[in-house]
Amino acid sequence: MDERGDVQTPVPWFDPETAMLEERVAATELAWLTLDVDVATLRVEIDNFALVHHQRLGPLYARLDELEALVAEARAARTGDPEDLRRAAEARQVVAELPDLDALFDSVRQAERQSPDERRAPAEPEPVRRVRPGKEAQRLYRELARAAHPDLAQDPAEQERRSVFIARANEAYGRGDAEALRALAEEWSTAPEAAPLPGAPERGEWLHQRLAWLTARIGELAAERVRLESTAMGSLLVMAPGDPEQLLAELADQLLAGAAERQRELEGLLGAPAPNGGRGRHNGAAVPPRPEPGQETPSMFQQIPTAPVETVPAEAVLIDVREQDEWDAGHAAGALHIPMSQFTARLDELPDAPLYVVCRVGGRSAQVVQYLVANGREAFNVDGGMFAWEQAGRPLVSGSGAEAFVL
């Protein structure tokens, strides 16, 4: 009481050390949330960049691999040199065994999101996704993460509720869906929030534990960011953080230039005279001699019958010469599977009818058609291979019953 007998409210005890600790925890929590959002954003950007990289550059990489193998095989066929033969075998092995991991992972993710009815429905080409979600989606996602992160709550039930909510926000952000993020923000603004009460006797100890946890978490996030940036897709994205779309365009130009150079080299090898004036062999088929002066040097695809995908009849005998893993991932319904490595041993399985031969992009099938024509069979190389087949909307099936894709 004071001198007049009035009851006074006691002044709360103020601990400068606790107050300073509160400020440190608040600042560290802000730094952790910011870094957590940055790492989540980087992960989404890398995933999207990998998808766009596959969509735009996958066929170009595949074409360049085929041309590298064809050039090595043509050179080995003409020289017969053991070292050239070894290099040709290694180049073909790369083409046969290197899986397209970006397409595989994307197919798995897409299949997991689909219902059984959607998986059975004919697949429509997926529109090319932007590498980075728009600025509005980024802003909304950051605000949601800072407001609803599970580790901002202490109650286990509240943490679980926040985890489910943030998972929905992550999914919407991965799609770059600003409208969905806006609806989630409105939903969160009407929900109650659980927060620890300050002023308890154990508050100081809790603050020390919280600070230690936040510091450790920041270290883990920093390590994760370094790991993401050091991945193949991450290191490419870091090269052009401001304009990844332009980087993809530049890479496509480089791949196209490399493919054109290899195509010219291959045409020169196929049209050049064999050593000592003889006729070389290319995967068991005769390589034509150099044309007489005044004749035009033919390209590889002009030397064999070729059929665009659109002209292949529905009832045609289609021979798929890819390897087993490629066939299992996705193939044309009704096709006959005879891998190129087994082809000569299984010639008796070929029906007596015109044959349409297909591989991934047209390189291996070109060699098989060349062999068949040299042996008197009517055969056609399916131009562009299974990539062109898929892009033309021709039906695909898989060996496992899952959604089919071209590997």
Side-chain angles (χ1 to χ4, degrees):
M1 292 187 181
D2 57 13
E3 295 176 354
R4 294 173 298 183
D6 296 329
V7 177
Q8 290 185 323
T9 302
V11 178
W13 179 70
F14 176 79
D15 182 0
E17 182 179 349
T18 301
M20 185 179 299
L21 193 55
E22 293 274 9
E23 293 178 358
R24 287 183 60 192
V25 169
T28 308
E29 193 167 74
L30 178 60
W32 161 65
L33 286 171
T34 300
L35 184 57
D36 189 59
V37 170
D38 288 345
V39 171
T41 300
L42 178 60
R43 190 178 291 111
V44 168
E45 290 177 359
I46 289 176
D47 284 347
N48 288 353
F49 185 78
L51 173 62
V52 179
H53 183 274
H54 164 69
Q55 289 177 324
R56 297 186 184 178
L57 305 186
L60 296 179
Y61 278 116
R63 177 63 179 151
L64 190 57
D65 286 343
E66 286 283 356
L67 285 170
E68 292 279 6
L70 290 171
V71 166
E73 289 165 348
R75 182 178 294 109
R78 305 197 72 81
T79 66
D81 182 86
E83 184 63 19
D84 287 340
L85 290 169
R86 182 189 64 79
R87 289 173 181 158
E90 289 180 353
R92 177 55 58 192
Q93 193 75 6
V94 168
V95 174
E97 292 189 351
L98 185 63
D100 191 339
L101 295 180
D102 288 342
L104 178 61
F105 292 157
D106 178 59
S107 176
V108 171
R109 288 195 299 266
Q110 186 175 358
E112 289 174 346
R113 293 196 299 265
Q114 289 179 330
S115 67
D117 290 338
E118 289 174 326
R119 292 172 190 165
R120 287 192 290 268
E124 295 183 1
E126 183 176 341
V128 174
R129 186 186 299 175
R130 290 187 59 81
V131 172
R132 178 175 293 132
K135 291 186 180 300
E136 180 65 4
Q138 293 183 47
R139 183 187 67 78
L140 290 166
Y141 179 75
R142 287 175 182 272
E143 290 178 359
L144 279 172
R146 287 171 176 161
H149 199 286
D151 290 307
L152 292 175
Q154 303 302 308
D155 178 69
E158 177 64 8
Q159 287 180 338
E160 177 63 24
R161 184 180 75 87
R162 288 170 175 253
S163 295
V164 172
F165 183 86
I166 284 296
R168 294 165 59 199
N170 289 340
E171 183 179 356
Y173 185 67
R175 300 192 308 267
D177 192 342
E179 274 304 315
L181 289 169
R182 203 171 285 113
L184 286 169
E186 183 177 355
E187 175 185 332
W188 182 258
S189 66
T190 62
E193 294 188 38
L197 295 175
E202 64 275 12
R203 179 70 175 180
E205 179 63 24
W206 179 87
L207 287 171
H208 280 292
Q209 294 176 354
R210 181 67 172 167
L211 186 60
W213 184 91
L214 288 169
T215 302
R217 184 62 183 144
I218 287 174
E220 293 171 4
L221 286 171
E224 175 67 4
R225 180 168 190 163
V226 170
R227 187 194 68 78
L228 288 171
E229 291 179 345
S230 63
T231 61
M233 291 295 107
S235 59
L236 278 177
L237 190 58
V238 168
M239 291 172 58
D243 194 359
E245 308 284 343
Q246 179 60 32
L247 174 62
L248 290 172
E250 293 173 0
L251 290 173
D253 289 342
Q254 294 174 14
L255 290 171
L256 287 170
E261 182 181 350
R262 292 295 176 271
Q263 184 70 50
R264 288 191 296 269
E265 186 178 358
L266 180 62
E267 292 174 2
L269 286 166
L270 292 175
N276 302 319
R279 291 171 65 88
R281 304 291 295 179
H282 181 42
N283 278 353
V287 178
R290 187 179 183 85
E292 294 298 324
Q295 289 183 314
E296 181 180 350
T297 301
S299 71
M300 176 190 68
F301 296 111
Q302 289 170 330
Q303 294 175 40
I304 61 174
T306 300
V309 167
E310 295 79 6
T311 67
V312 178
E315 68 280 3
V317 177
L318 187 65
I319 311 297
D320 192 324
V321 298
R322 297 175 300 156
E323 295 304 313
Q324 188 67 46
D325 58 340
E326 297 173 287
W327 168 269
D328 290 341
H331 57 269
L336 175 60
H337 183 217
I338 305 180
M340 183 177 173
S341 58
Q342 306 172 17
F343 200 83
T344 56
R346 297 173 59 183
L347 288 175
D348 58 344
E349 299 180 30
L350 298 177
D352 186 15
L355 305 174
Y356 291 80
V357 187
V358 67
C359 65
R360 183 163 61 168
V361 294
R364 283 170 283 177
S365 54
Q367 298 173 69
V368 172
V369 170
Q370 189 178 38
Y371 172 82
L372 290 169
V373 171
N375 285 274
R377 293 301 305 267
E378 183 180 3
F380 303 88
N381 184 36
V382 178
D383 189 26
M386 289 304 298
F387 274 123
W389 186 278
E390 182 181 41
Q391 290 168 3
R394 301 294 293 262
L396 287 175
V397 295
S398 70
S400 64
E403 183 183 1
F405 64 95
V406 177
L407 177 60

